[in-house]
Amino acid sequence: MPSLRAHVFDWIIRWQVKPKLARAAGDVAAVRRIFDQASFPEPPGITFRPAEIGGIPGEWAERPGLAPDAPRLFYLHGGGFVGCSPRTHRPLTGAFAMRGFRVFCPDYRLAPEHPFPAALDDATAAWSAFAAAGPAGVAGDSAGGNLSLALMLRARRDGLPLPSAAVLFSPSTDMLGEGASMHANARRDAMFDPTKLQNLVEAYLAGHDPADPLASPLRGDLAGLPPLLFHVGAREVLRDDSVRFAEKARAAGVSAAVTIWPVVPHAWQLAQSFLPEARRSLSEAAAFLKSHARTPEVVR
């Protein structure tokens, strides 16, 4: 049963965030300000330090005293491809650090100043160097979930190590927006009006083919991907981006699980200091990543 706090949080997002995003439609700078102003408490006792991996700036999140062989996680933040940063996503990277991971979050370039494939290029450069240091998992939320999946397709294509497993929180997987939930959940989604999401797609793609699998991972050949776990809200317009991807992945022989959470809004894991569903989601994701920890394979 959903918690009372889930209902409260859904109400807050529905009445305080969704109208702002709707009014800002077409104004990428305004959308960026809204995303960047989102403020959630950082988990206590976690050290955040700047770093550069593979020539890409970013931030480590670590719990003091962590064992040298602690599992490693490469986290790609969301933000509609136009906003947010490792700093805005400290509630998530810090939450994984609390659960025993050594986490790196790259500060990839944002659209529209740097359209597709700049963000993916940065993620690939950072992942190539990160994975060279040992086995690791990958995780991402929203646009970061899209980049996580596209990164795996590109890594497989280019002969880079694949992650041991991946967790995707409400990822965008289809830039053509053909999932049934885009229409069925248009009013139920607490954050997004699907008619306004096209502005973010256009800012990111800048005329590039939305059916390109590196932009819409759902359109790619999914064979050979590592185990995948999707967490998505039942009311989200992006719900079927996860459901359809998992179905296609399983048909290609990939282990893929989806948990559909009632009531909670998009990227609810950011509210881990307040929301029990956020803490449960993060704990389940951490357990999944740890259960699949192994030496990543290199696909030739």
Side-chain angles (χ1 to χ4, degrees), residues 41 58 108 211 225:
Y108 59 82
L225 294 187

Side-chain angles (χ1 to χ4, degrees), residues 28-121:
V28 172
V31 172
R32 180 178 291 170
R33 286 194 297 271
I34 292 167
F35 284 155
D36 289 351
Q37 288 170 359
S39 179
F40 295 93
E42 300 171 8
I46 300 302
T47 299
F48 299 95
R49 57 183 177 87
E52 186 175 287
I53 295 181
I56 307 302
E59 184 176 82
W60 284 100
E62 297 173 309
R63 189 180 68 199
L66 206 58
D69 61 349
R72 301 163 68 247
L73 179 64
F74 187 79
Y75 193 91
L76 289 162
H77 70 78
F81 304 102
V82 304
C84 295
S85 67
R87 178 173 290 276
T88 62
H89 279 61
R90 284 180 176 180
L92 293 180
T93 58
F96 278 112
M98 284 185 66
R99 289 163 173 80
F101 289 86
R102 182 170 284 112
V103 186
F104 181 74
C105 183
D107 193 9
Y108 59 82
R109 289 172 291 171
L110 301 175
E113 296 88 348
H114 305 283
F116 179 90
L120 182 57
D121 287 345

Side-chain angles (χ1 to χ4, degrees), residues 60-236:
W60 284 100
E62 297 173 309
R63 189 180 68 199
L66 206 58
D69 61 349
R72 301 163 68 247
L73 179 64
F74 187 79
Y75 193 91
L76 289 162
H77 70 78
F81 304 102
V82 304
C84 295
S85 67
R87 178 173 290 276
T88 62
H89 279 61
R90 284 180 176 180
L92 293 180
T93 58
F96 278 112
M98 284 185 66
R99 289 163 173 80
F101 289 86
R102 182 170 284 112
V103 186
F104 181 74
C105 183
D107 193 9
Y108 59 82
R109 289 172 291 171
L110 301 175
E113 296 88 348
H114 305 283
F116 179 90
L120 182 57
D121 287 345
D122 289 355
T124 303
W127 168 254
S128 180
F130 187 83
V138 165
D141 64 284
S142 194
N146 173 291
L147 291 172
S148 297
L149 294 165
L151 170 63
M152 289 184 278
L153 295 180
R154 191 161 176 180
R156 186 190 59 191
R157 184 197 73 183
D158 295 347
L160 299 175
L162 287 170
S164 54
V167 167
L168 302 314
F169 296 139
S170 304
S172 166
T173 70
D174 179 17
M175 291 297 185
L176 295 173
E178 293 182 348
S181 57
M182 277 288 175
H183 304 287
N185 283 346
R187 294 190 176 184
R188 300 175 73 213
D189 192 299
M191 183 175 292
F192 293 124
D193 177 342
T195 64
K196 313 298 184 185
L197 286 177
Q198 186 61 29
N199 295 301
L200 298 180
V201 171
E202 291 173 358
Y204 177 54
L205 294 182
H208 189 80
D209 182 4
D212 183 341
L214 295 183
S216 294
L218 178 66
R219 308 283 165 173
D221 175 7
L222 308 186
L225 294 187
L228 308 173
L229 175 64
F230 295 83
H231 282 187
V232 66
R235 299 176 178 178
E236 292 193 60

Side-chain angles (χ1 to χ4, degrees), residues 9 38 40-41 88-92 141 266-273 278 282:
F9 188 53
F40 295 93
T88 62
H89 279 61
R90 284 180 176 180
L92 293 180
D141 64 284
H266 183 71
W268 73 94
Q269 293 86 359
L270 282 163
Q272 54 83 32
S273 65
L282 287 160

